[in-house]
Amino acid sequence: MAEIIQKDGTWSFDGDVIRIVPGTDKGVGLVRRTLGEITVPLRAVAGISFEAGKKSGRLRLRLRDGACPLLAITGGHLEDGSDPYRLSVANDRAGVAEYLVDEVRNALLLEQVDSGPVDAYLLPGPSLPLTVGAGDGTATFDGERVRLEWNWKTEESKASGGARTIALADVAAVEWLPSIGLENGYLRFRVGRGGTSAAPPAPKYDPHAVELWGFRKDPLMALVGAAVVARMPHPNAAEVRAEAPAPAPAPAAAQAADQDVLLRRLRELGELHRAGVLTDEEFTTAKQAVLRQL
C-alpha cells in the first residue's frame, strides 16, 4: 500500500481505492473537515499528479467528469483549502508523493481505466441529514426534502413568505456560486418544469435561494447542493444514451486500427517492465489482458 501522511491530510492507495482523510492543519477548510474521510474508487480517477514547489509541493487528483457530485455543483470554484482532491506536501516528502503517483498511474494502466466522462456518480456525496447555516438562511436536506429557513438578515419580502420546503422530485436544477469580489454568492434550487429556463429573481429576493456574502461558512452550502445533486438524475446519462450508436460490425480498417492500439500498448507495457516500473507479475497480468482483446 502507498501512503503519504501530512499535516494537510493523509492519502493512501491499496490498489483499488484512494482514501483521503483531512488533516489538522489550520489551512484545512470546513468543507474538508465536514466531509471527513472520502473513498475514491480507482474507476473514478482520470489522473493524478505531483507539482513540486519552493516551500512545498502539491498532490492533485483529477476525477472523471461527472464522477463526484461535489465537483459537479462547485464547477472548479472551490478554494485549495476546501478542495478534498488537493494535498499540500512538504518538500522532504516529495519522494513519497511521487511514489504514490506512480502506483496510482500504474494501476490505471493495468486496469485500463477510461479517463472519459461517466453517466452515474461514482462517489456518494455528503452524508445525511445535513444542515448548514450561512448568509441569509439555513438549508437542511434529509434525502427527500430541502428546507430553507430565514434569519434576521434576510430581505423582508423574502422572509415574509416563511420557510420553504421543496420536495426532491420538484428540484429541476441546483446552482452554487461563491461570493466573488463585490458579487454575492448563492445556493439556488430551480423548481418545477421549465425551472431552468426562466430567469430567476436575484438571490436576495429569491425564496428558493440562500444568498451568500463571503463569510467562513459559505462553502458549506456547496455540501447541501452536492447532497441534493447526488440524488437527482445524472446530467450525463441522457447524453450518453443519445450519443451511443447502435452496435454494428466493425469495418476492417477499424479493426486494424484497434489492433495497432493494442500492439502499441503491449510495447508500452514491455518498456515499463524493462524499466522496472512493473513487476513480473504485473507485466504478465497486463499483457494477458491485452492479448485477450487481440
Side-chain angles (χ1 to χ4, degrees), residues 12-49:
S12 59
F13 177 59
D14 64 3
D16 295 315
V17 299
I18 300 171
R19 300 189 187 279
I20 298 175
V21 181
T24 58
D25 188 71
K26 62 181 181 180
V28 177
L30 286 175
V31 168
R32 290 169 60 190
R33 295 179 190 273
T34 304
L35 278 174
E37 180 177 326
I38 300 175
T39 300
V40 182
L42 184 65
R43 61 195 178 99
V45 178
I48 185 171
S49 63

Side-chain angles (χ1 to χ4, degrees), residues 123-164:
L123 282 86
S127 301
L128 298 179
L130 182 61
T131 299
V132 173
D136 69 351
T138 297
T140 300
F141 181 54
D142 62 5
E144 297 180 356
R145 291 169 296 275
V146 177
R147 184 168 176 81
L148 303 178
E149 300 175 274
W150 314 118
N151 56 39
W152 64 273
K153 295 171 285 187
T154 309
E155 168 67 28
E156 184 178 354
S157 62
K158 183 161 80 171
S160 62
R164 291 281 175 149

Side-chain angles (χ1 to χ4, degrees), residues 61-259:
L61 187 65
R62 185 168 59 87
L63 302 190
R64 297 171 66 184
D65 178 41
C68 174
L70 178 61
L71 295 184
I73 192 68
T74 55
H77 290 294
L78 278 179
E79 296 179 349
D80 282 8
S82 297
D83 190 339
Y85 305 116
R86 299 181 186 182
L87 181 71
S88 181
V89 178
N91 283 340
D92 62 353
R93 306 300 289 170
V96 179
E98 290 171 347
Y99 173 72
L100 177 69
V101 168
D102 287 341
E103 289 293 293
V104 174
R105 286 178 175 172
N106 289 341
L108 291 171
L109 177 62
L110 288 170
E111 297 298 328
Q112 300 179 35
V113 176
D114 187 358
S115 61
V118 296
D119 60 357
Y121 292 115
L122 303 181
L123 282 86
S127 301
L128 298 179
L130 182 61
T131 299
V132 173
D136 69 351
T138 297
T140 300
F141 181 54
D142 62 5
E144 297 180 356
R145 291 169 296 275
V146 177
R147 184 168 176 81
L148 303 178
E149 300 175 274
W150 314 118
N151 56 39
W152 64 273
K153 295 171 285 187
T154 309
E155 168 67 28
E156 184 178 354
S157 62
K158 183 161 80 171
S160 62
R164 291 281 175 149
T165 299
I166 309 169
L168 178 61
D170 293 333
V171 179
V174 185
E175 303 168 354
W176 175 84
L177 190 69
S179 174
I180 302 174
L182 298 178
E183 295 293 327
N184 291 338
Y186 56 85
L187 172 67
R188 171 182 283 130
F189 300 93
R190 301 282 197 102
V191 299
R193 293 182 179 178
T196 60
S197 57
K204 182 177 182 178
Y205 305 103
D206 190 347
H208 296 125
V210 176
E211 187 179 32
L212 305 173
W213 301 313
F215 295 142
R216 181 170 173 263
K217 290 187 176 182
D218 283 9
L220 291 177
M221 279 293 176
L223 297 183
V224 179
V228 175
V229 162
R231 289 156 180 84
M232 293 174 61
H234 195 283
N236 291 348
E239 181 179 342
V240 169
R241 285 196 296 269
E243 293 180 355
Q255 291 179 348
D258 290 343
Q259 289 183 356

